Amino acid sequence: MPLTDVQIRNAKKSDKPYKLPDGKGLYLYISRAGGKSWRLDYAYFGKRKTLTLGTYPALGLADARVRRDEAKRKLSEGVDPSLSKKREQLSAKAAAVNTFGLIADEFIAKLRRDKRAEPTIDKNRWMLKSSRRSFRLIL
């Protein structure tokens, strides 16, 4: 039987984590601390896997069902939804690093347009270069 919003809101924490099934592998996982997250169980090449779709209430019931259907579509195309999600996260991190580099280059170009002294430009370039390295270490 599919979940309702009332059942989800009334789910309370327990001594043990538990699941409220919705159907087609989707369920609401309630942790011992009371956190609620949407998860999807699926099999990929005969191996059981679990994909976390998001947390409740940030991700509602209807949106969780849409994400479940998207993951099932990826599975039918032969793509592992978990690996796909990880690739998207890594590409987002890479884009953030590249954005910092682009902004740093634009800043150096602005310093040149403003006719700053060459030692000033070199010092700024050095500071931005070390910032790029430390920014990558954080990611």
Side-chain angles (χ1 to χ4, degrees):
M1 187 165 97
L3 281 175
T4 63
D5 196 48
V6 174
Q7 289 174 317
I8 296 167
R9 277 187 271 130
N10 291 336
K12 303 295 181 209
K13 64 182 180 178
S14 176
D15 294 339
K16 293 183 179 181
Y18 65 99
K19 304 173 184 180
L20 292 176
D22 183 56
K24 298 181 185 176
L26 179 68
Y27 60 91
L28 185 69
Y29 179 83
I30 294 92
S31 69
R32 280 186 264 163
K36 300 173 184 178
S37 61
W38 292 106
R39 295 187 179 183
L40 174 69
D41 284 342
Y42 64 96
Y44 188 70
F45 286 117
K47 185 176 178 183
R48 183 191 172 279
K49 292 188 161 199
T50 301
L51 175 67
T52 302
L53 302 174
T55 59
Y56 181 85
L59 183 67
L61 178 59
D63 294 330
R65 289 175 177 160
V66 169
R67 288 192 186 182
R68 173 201 59 200
D69 294 340
E70 289 171 2
K72 293 281 187 176
R73 183 185 46 79
K74 286 180 183 178
L75 275 172
S76 68
E77 294 171 356
V79 177
D80 184 359
S82 179
L83 289 176
S84 176
K85 181 179 175 183
K86 287 177 185 176
R87 284 188 192 120
E88 290 170 7
Q89 290 172 343
L90 287 174
S91 65
K93 285 182 182 180
V97 171
N98 291 340
T99 303
F100 181 81
L102 292 172
I103 292 172
D105 292 341
E106 288 176 13
F107 179 70
I108 296 298
K110 181 187 179 313
L111 291 177
R112 288 192 190 285
R113 282 193 313 269
D114 293 345
K115 295 186 171 58
R116 299 292 177 137
E118 198 58 37
T120 303
I121 294 171
D122 290 340
K123 175 107 180 190
N124 279 288
R125 187 181 301 118
W126 173 80
M127 287 190 315
L128 290 169
K129 188 181 241 183
S130 63
S131 295
R132 283 186 200 178
R133 275 188 244 128
S134 63
F135 187 68
R136 284 190 186 130
L137 291 176
I138 292 170
L139 292 179

